[in-house]
Amino acid sequence: TVGKTVVFTTVWVGGLPNLNTNIVINGNYSTSVNGNFEACSCTINAGAKLTIDAFSYMKVQNGISSQGNLVVESDGGGNSGK
């Protein structure tokens, strides 16, 4: 069962994301700056940008909806093996 929705603008509001939360990206999120995350679903709003940097990841169980920008850098989304 999906829990609550948490929102990122410049910080997470409503808690931290996990596999039981829906997330909404309302600002510029970079996994190298803001950290890896896991979520049930991910929405990227218009004007927002989610960047998955090299050797970092996001895990989303049920899908991504985007009216903004989703950027996956070279080696982003994968496992560095460490």
Side-chain angles (χ1 to χ4, degrees):
T1 303
V2 175
K4 62 184 176 181
T5 296
V6 296
V7 178
F8 181 88
T9 301
T10 57
V11 296
W12 289 110
V13 175
L16 295 175
N18 61 58
L19 290 175
N20 294 314
T21 58
N22 298 308
I23 65 166
V24 176
I25 304 294
N26 273 338
N28 293 329
Y29 191 98
S30 167
T31 54
S32 68
V33 173
N34 305 106
N36 301 321
F37 66 85
E38 298 182 350
C40 182
S41 67
C42 175
T43 299
I44 306 166
N45 285 340
K49 181 179 179 182
L50 171 57
T51 302
I52 310 303
D53 295 295
F55 305 107
S56 63
Y57 72 93
M58 70 170 187
K59 179 179 180 180
V60 178
Q61 279 187 319
N62 292 322
I64 300 168
S65 171
S66 179
Q67 293 182 352
N69 294 305
L70 173 60
V71 178
V72 180
E73 300 288 343
S74 177
D75 295 321
N79 183 344
S80 66
K82 295 183 181 179

